Amino acid sequence: MSQSPENLVEQVNKTAKNLDQPPLDKWHPELSGDMDLRISRDGQWIHKGKPLGREAIVKLFSTILRREDDEQYYLVTPVEKWRIQVEDTPLLAHSLTVEGSGEQQVIKLITNVGETLEVGNEHPLEVDNYEGSGQPRPIVRVRHGVVARLVTAAYYDLAEHVVEQTIGGEPVLGVYSHGNFYKIGQGG
């Protein structure tokens, strides 16, 4: 069985009263199948080989997207659960801004679906590396296992706010946001 984006939108609109944050943690339907939907590394949502043309659908789908313990991504409604493919991360983070300074500064990012995330306890920042290349992979946690990767420009903007701290006797590079220190790399 194949699901169309329009039918899934209709299902979500019928059941979710607050589309900004549907209660995905309370929705646990059986797997409906695999949807021919792929999110490319550059953030395009592609259905049946064609980019989803309506930005509103992409934004809505981002609110019902969940990554589960099997490391797979699903679009979830109260009665349907469709597995989709994600090449890297489902969302991109750009437009980095910093308010304040020092340990109390607040780092804000805007995602490609227009959501503002403040790096902190709810949206922690992590930097690991891509396997094979060793290239940095900076991500911020969004919700329900979903992450947003910082685009190159945002990562360079972040680098302007890096400080060195000594942790466990070792120099560590990182940034502060909401009073938390987020490690970016080794100092020295």
Side-chain angles (χ1 to χ4, degrees):
M1 178 178 188
S2 179
Q3 176 69 318
S4 75
E6 290 76 17
N7 290 343
L8 198 57
V9 167
E10 185 178 322
Q11 176 67 37
V12 172
N13 284 333
K14 285 180 184 177
T15 58
K17 292 182 178 139
N18 178 0
L19 292 181
D20 288 338
Q21 297 295 322
L24 290 188
D25 55 326
K26 296 178 181 167
W27 296 347
H28 301 287
E30 292 295 317
L31 180 64
S32 302
D34 291 300
M35 180 182 280
D36 187 2
L37 179 65
R38 175 179 57 87
I39 304 172
S40 66
R41 190 174 192 280
D42 67 359
Q44 276 203 331
W45 294 54
I46 301 167
H47 182 252
K48 295 185 177 179
K50 296 181 182 175
L52 283 177
R54 292 181 43 208
E55 189 175 313
I57 290 177
V58 172
K59 187 173 184 173
L60 175 68
F61 280 7
S62 74
T63 69
I64 62 167
L65 183 62
R66 171 169 81 200
R67 186 174 189 189
E68 296 189 354
D69 292 339
D70 62 1
E71 303 296 315
Q72 298 291 312
Y73 288 91
Y74 300 90
L75 295 175
V76 182
T77 73
V79 296
E80 293 182 280
K81 176 176 159 181
W82 294 93
R83 184 175 25 237
I84 67 167
Q85 300 302 309
V86 176
E87 290 181 358
D88 185 13
T89 62
L91 301 176
L92 299 175
H94 56 83
S95 302
L96 183 137
T97 60
V98 177
E99 295 177 1
S101 61
E103 292 182 22
Q104 297 310 309
Q105 74 185 6
V106 176
I107 297 170
K108 294 182 180 183
L109 296 155
I110 298 175
T111 69
N112 58 316
V113 294
E115 184 175 359
T116 300
L117 305 173
E118 291 187 7
V119 174
N121 291 333
E122 190 174 342
H123 304 291
L125 173 72
E126 299 173 19
V127 179
D128 56 11
N129 294 309
Y130 283 103
E131 283 185 38
S133 72
Q135 294 291 320
R137 185 176 181 260
I139 60 169
V140 62
R141 301 228 170 257
V142 180
R143 71 187 147 274
H144 303 296
V146 174
V147 297
R149 179 177 45 85
L150 278 68
V151 298
T152 303
Y155 189 55
Y156 287 154
D157 289 343
L158 183 71
E160 293 178 18
H161 302 279
V162 168
V163 295
E164 186 174 87
Q165 297 291 316
T166 301
I167 299 176
E170 297 290 324
V172 176
L173 299 175
V175 294
Y176 279 100
S177 188
H178 278 290
N180 297 320
F181 183 75
Y182 296 96
K183 179 182 174 183
I184 302 294
Q186 288 303 117

